[in-house]
Amino acid sequence: MLKTFTTKKSLQQYLQQIKALNQTVGFVATLGALHHGHLSLIELAQQQNDVIVCSIFVNPSQFNDPKDLEKYPRTIEADIKLLEQVKCDILFYPEVNEMYDDNEHWHLNIGETEHLLEGEFRPGHYQGVTQIVNKLFNIVTPDTAYFGQKDYQQFLIISKMVTMLNMPVKLVMCPIKRETDGLAMSSRNIHLTPDDRQHALILSKTLNWLKTNFNSHNIPTLKKEAELLINAEPGVELDYFAIADGDTLHPADEATKSIVALVAAQVGKTRLIDNVVLSS
Ligand code: AMP
């Protein structure tokens, strides 16, 4: 049976009982509008823990654009059904005023990674992400927290925060779940028109092409070809395409060991991100 908590206090009281029984807690933080990508995180967490907490909270502080916050999909009834179907144990579903006091200030010096790629296009986004994930980790105190590779840069930044603040939590990066045609699952896909949905495929197709051709071309050629492919697609406007060091997100060169290609583009009115690990 899914137990839903809307206050920190009630959740913490319940988790104290769980921990007194020496049961391990796995945690999946989400913004809701759940899809199979989210569920795959919960399923992996279930394999490795006794009790799973999923949070659903559309965190205002990580949205730099108020219109984006307003139109972010909210589908709590369907979300609860899905959580029940996968036998998730606990849902934490707080209101904004449960998570934030008025005029709260947060700044964590997480270094330059914050300002690269997504950080450049969504200023302040990662301050908001670290602010809420820090709060959620303090409330849930999970043994292990599961995040998707889909938000690759977010994983790097949360790892950095966990190291900097000596947080006693293990992080696991989970693979990207895709639709059968390759589109990375995302809550934002709801907003794609049928035309957008077709045009959006260029992102995963290009990343696939890169993976196939990674060993036969040099990095500048790969980047140029990938950008040409995406720019040729109608209705798709590239924010960035990067072939980067998987640890620093600086541009990769032939000597870089861990390499990831990351893309963000506006498809119609919807902003999508995707990535692929090319070498690790
Ligand atoms: P969100 O609700 O978009 O904040 O996502 C919550 C968590 O699910 C994050 O750790 C995401 O990286 C992860 N996630 C989102 N989409 C996918 C996907 N297609 N495959 C795997 N994980 C995902």
Side-chain angles (χ1 to χ4, degrees), residues 2 43 48 83 88 102 134 145 160 179 181 214 216-217 234 252 267 277:
L2 179 70
E43 278 155 14
Q48 301 179 349
L83 290 175
C88 181
D102 289 343
N134 177 52
K160 180 91 191 273
E179 304 289 351
D181 58 9
F214 183 61
S216 47
H217 296 70
V267 180
V277 173

Side-chain angles (χ1 to χ4, degrees), residues 28-41 55-57 62 72 125 129 146-152 154-155 158 172-179 183-189 273-274:
V28 175
T30 81
L31 304 181
L34 300 182
H35 50 68
H36 285 276
H38 297 120
L39 300 185
S40 71
L41 270 54
S55 64
I56 295 183
F57 181 63
Q62 73 190 65
Y72 198 85
H125 173 62
V129 168
Y146 297 79
F147 291 91
Q149 182 197 321
K150 166 86 182 347
D151 297 275
Y152 189 93
Q154 168 173 278
F155 189 89
I158 293 172
V172 173
M173 186 195 274
C174 307
I176 303 178
K177 272 269 170 191
R178 299 180 178 281
E179 304 289 351
L183 180 70
M185 289 184 183
S186 163
S187 305
R188 295 176 189 275
N189 291 351
I273 58 172
D274 200 351

Side-chain angles (χ1 to χ4, degrees), residues 27-249:
F27 178 49
V28 175
T30 81
L31 304 181
L34 300 182
H35 50 68
H36 285 276
H38 297 120
L39 300 185
S40 71
L41 270 54
I42 293 175
E43 278 155 14
L44 184 59
Q46 285 171 326
Q47 290 166 26
Q48 301 179 349
N49 299 273
D50 299 314
V51 173
I52 309 306
V53 180
C54 174
S55 64
I56 295 183
F57 181 63
V58 184
N59 172 40
S61 78
Q62 73 190 65
F63 284 80
N64 51 310
D65 174 0
K67 277 200 218 101
D68 189 26
L69 172 62
E70 196 187 316
K71 84 169 206 190
Y72 198 85
R74 289 160 173 89
T75 60
I76 189 65
E77 278 162 27
D79 291 351
I80 288 174
K81 284 208 180 96
L82 285 173
L83 290 175
E84 284 171 345
Q85 268 171 30
V86 297
K87 299 193 166 35
C88 181
D89 303 289
I90 297 174
L91 165 63
F92 182 46
Y93 179 54
E95 300 269 355
V96 172
N97 60 13
E98 179 67 14
M99 297 305 285
Y100 289 106
D101 289 335
D102 289 343
N103 302 320
E104 228 180 88
H105 179 73
W106 168 265
H107 183 83
L108 186 69
N109 188 0
I110 32 186
E112 60 172 357
T113 319
E114 178 196 347
H115 303 294
L116 303 172
L117 306 178
E118 282 302 285
E120 189 187 335
F121 286 87
R122 303 184 70 185
H125 173 62
Y126 289 119
Q127 288 301 330
V129 168
T130 52
Q131 182 178 32
I132 191 63
V133 173
N134 177 52
K135 280 175 187 278
L136 289 168
F137 280 180
N138 285 332
I139 297 165
V140 178
T141 60
D143 294 278
T144 310
Y146 297 79
F147 291 91
Q149 182 197 321
K150 166 86 182 347
D151 297 275
Y152 189 93
Q153 188 172 2
Q154 168 173 278
F155 189 89
L156 288 187
I157 284 177
I158 293 172
S159 305
K160 180 91 191 273
M161 174 178 78
V162 164
T163 307
M164 280 174 68
L165 304 182
N166 287 312
M167 300 176 109
V169 56
K170 183 180 160 210
L171 300 180
V172 173
M173 186 195 274
C174 307
I176 303 178
K177 272 269 170 191
R178 299 180 178 281
E179 304 289 351
T180 43
D181 58 9
L183 180 70
M185 289 184 183
S186 163
S187 305
R188 295 176 189 275
N189 291 351
I190 277 178
H191 296 309
L192 297 171
T193 65
D195 275 354
D196 293 341
R197 177 75 184 64
Q198 284 311 305
H199 297 317
L201 292 178
I202 193 63
L203 303 182
S204 55
K205 276 190 193 154
T206 302
L207 293 174
N208 251 332
W209 176 88
L210 265 180
K211 208 167 165 61
T212 313
N213 290 278
F214 183 61
N215 289 320
S216 47
H217 296 70
N218 63 29
I219 289 174
T221 310
L222 289 169
K223 180 165 159 37
K224 207 171 112 204
E225 289 296 321
E227 284 173 346
L228 280 173
L229 280 170
I230 296 171
N231 285 330
E233 184 71 25
V236 177
E237 209 167 297
L238 204 50
D239 274 354
Y240 61 80
F241 184 89
I243 300 182
D245 182 312
D247 299 317
T248 64
L249 297 183

